[in-house]
Amino acid sequence: SLFSVVKNQLSIVPLGVKESHQTTIFRIIAAILHLGNLEIQGERDGDACSISSEDEHLNNFCGLLGVEHSQMQHWLCHRK
């Protein structure tokens, strides 16, 4: 698979990325991809938004990065 090829290439010198670092890299990439799939709902006034607490991509994003679900849900929709 393409994933196996990429993983093997990361291990080859001169890159020599340790397997533990590869796992971290893949976790961050997966989290970013989930973040891009969030369904952000605009509110009537156009200045506010919301994200469903049931959004599977938000749940996956938070799980992959170990961040608190409610805090991330809040900060993705509020500047302050």
Side-chain angles (χ1 to χ4, degrees):
S1 73
L2 181 58
F3 178 75
S4 297
V5 171
V6 170
K7 190 171 182 195
N8 288 335
Q9 292 299 314
L10 285 172
S11 300
I12 295 175
V13 177
L15 288 178
V17 179
K18 295 179 185 177
E19 191 166 334
S20 62
H21 290 130
Q22 288 180 26
T23 302
T24 301
I25 291 167
F26 293 135
R27 179 174 283 136
I28 291 168
I29 291 170
I32 291 168
L33 291 172
H34 280 290
L35 185 62
N37 289 322
L38 282 175
E39 290 191 32
I40 300 174
Q41 305 296 320
E43 300 295 325
R44 289 185 195 170
D45 61 8
D47 288 337
C49 69
S50 64
I51 301 170
S52 169
S53 59
E54 303 298 317
D55 189 302
E56 68 177 306
H57 297 291
L58 178 62
N59 293 330
N60 290 331
F61 175 82
C62 292
L64 286 165
L65 296 183
V67 296
E68 189 178 327
H69 185 274
S70 61
Q71 288 291 313
M72 187 54 61
Q73 187 178 15
H74 173 82
W75 290 115
L76 287 170
C77 293
H78 298 88
R79 295 181 191 176
K80 297 181 182 180

